[in-house]
Amino acid sequence: MPIPTPASCRVSPEAGTMSNGTGRYEKRLSDLAGLYADSAAFAALLADGDRVVYDVTEFRPSENGGDVIFGVTRMNPGRVGKEFFLTRGHIHAKSDRPEIYYGQKGTGLMQLESPDGETRIVEIGPQTICYVPPYWIHRSVNTGDEDLVMVFCYPADSGQDYGIIERSGGMRHRVVAADAGWALVDNDGYVPRTPEVAAALIGDAV
Ligand code: NI
């Protein structure tokens, strides 16, 4: 069996990219429809142009268990109403897989939610490592006024379940602009997962 070959990728914090990636994708505002509370502000911003909200350059050697996928994510600064630009968010399809984010430029946060609905926030700036434990739903938010650039790395067989956030009407809290920079407010549309669903996500039977 041929074994994988070594690689080197150079990160540019300024550009929010890295060299030698195996793939790249971007998400535009229209890809984030339905995530924001202020639908009028969303429509107004979208009418002004379907701008790129974030892009990802990744290195994906394989999807084999035991391998890793890594890359750089860059998110523009911006707001929809009071809410900051954010990623769609997900839980890993193999929910026991963790992830690491390493801040390179800008300021933001990782919004994490446990299966039973607890919110945790990890603020991220340059040189900050954020550990996303197994089983936590996670989304990044750019709370600053410049690009938020982070390196990420996760097990190659993790997969992503984006539907988990849709199924509960969003995450439990919204991150909004405030005098202190940001604040959490309740998401009025949030539907808590049942104990059965929460237990199933961590592989427990109720
Ligand atoms: Ni992830």
Side-chain angles (χ1 to χ4, degrees):
M1 183 186 85
I3 63 172
T5 52
S8 166
C9 298
R10 181 170 289 271
V11 175
S12 168
E14 276 309 309
T17 59
M18 70 176 189
S19 65
N20 291 334
T22 60
R24 182 180 182 282
Y25 64 90
E26 58 189 27
K27 294 289 180 193
R28 292 179 177 270
L29 191 62
S30 59
D31 297 316
L32 305 174
L35 299 185
Y36 291 98
D38 191 339
S39 53
F42 182 87
L45 193 61
L46 189 59
D48 191 43
D50 192 11
R51 69 205 66 207
V52 171
V53 175
Y54 60 96
D55 51 57
V56 175
T57 309
E58 62 181 12
F59 189 93
R60 195 177 274 260
S62 77
E63 295 188 352
N64 299 331
D67 210 339
V68 294
I69 293 169
F70 62 89
V72 174
T73 171
R74 184 202 65 82
M75 183 161 25
N76 283 314
R79 277 164 45 182
V80 176
K82 289 183 172 178
E83 287 179 88
F84 296 104
F85 278 5
L86 44 70
T87 59
R88 283 181 67 197
H90 58 257
I91 192 169
H92 292 154
K94 289 184 192 293
S95 59
D96 64 347
R97 300 304 196 254
E99 187 159 2
I100 290 290
Y101 284 84
Y102 180 28
Q104 302 289 304
K105 182 190 176 194
T107 53
L109 56 82
M110 193 65 60
Q111 180 180 0
L112 300 113
E113 183 177 305
S114 68
D116 61 4
E118 177 185 355
T119 296
R120 291 287 186 98
I121 300 294
V122 176
E123 292 191 281
I124 299 176
Q127 311 304 312
T128 309
I129 294 175
C130 168
Y131 169 57
V132 176
Y135 308 117
W136 286 76
I137 299 159
H138 47 285
R139 150 185 291 170
S140 50
V141 183
N142 186 352
T143 56
D145 54 12
E146 60 179 337
D147 284 2
L148 175 63
V149 178
M150 298 182 289
V151 167
F152 61 86
C153 184
Y154 57 90
D157 62 351
S158 300
Q160 284 96 10
D161 173 4
Y162 293 98
I164 186 134
I165 292 178
E166 264 171 57
R167 291 192 294 273
S168 56
M171 294 181 79
R172 181 172 177 179
H173 292 102
R174 296 182 181 279
V175 181
V176 298
D179 288 344
W182 59 269
L184 291 182
V185 297
D186 286 335
N187 168 14
D188 295 334
Y190 181 70
V191 181
R193 283 167 287 277
T194 64
E196 290 75 15
V197 169
L201 283 168
I202 60 171
D204 284 351
V206 174

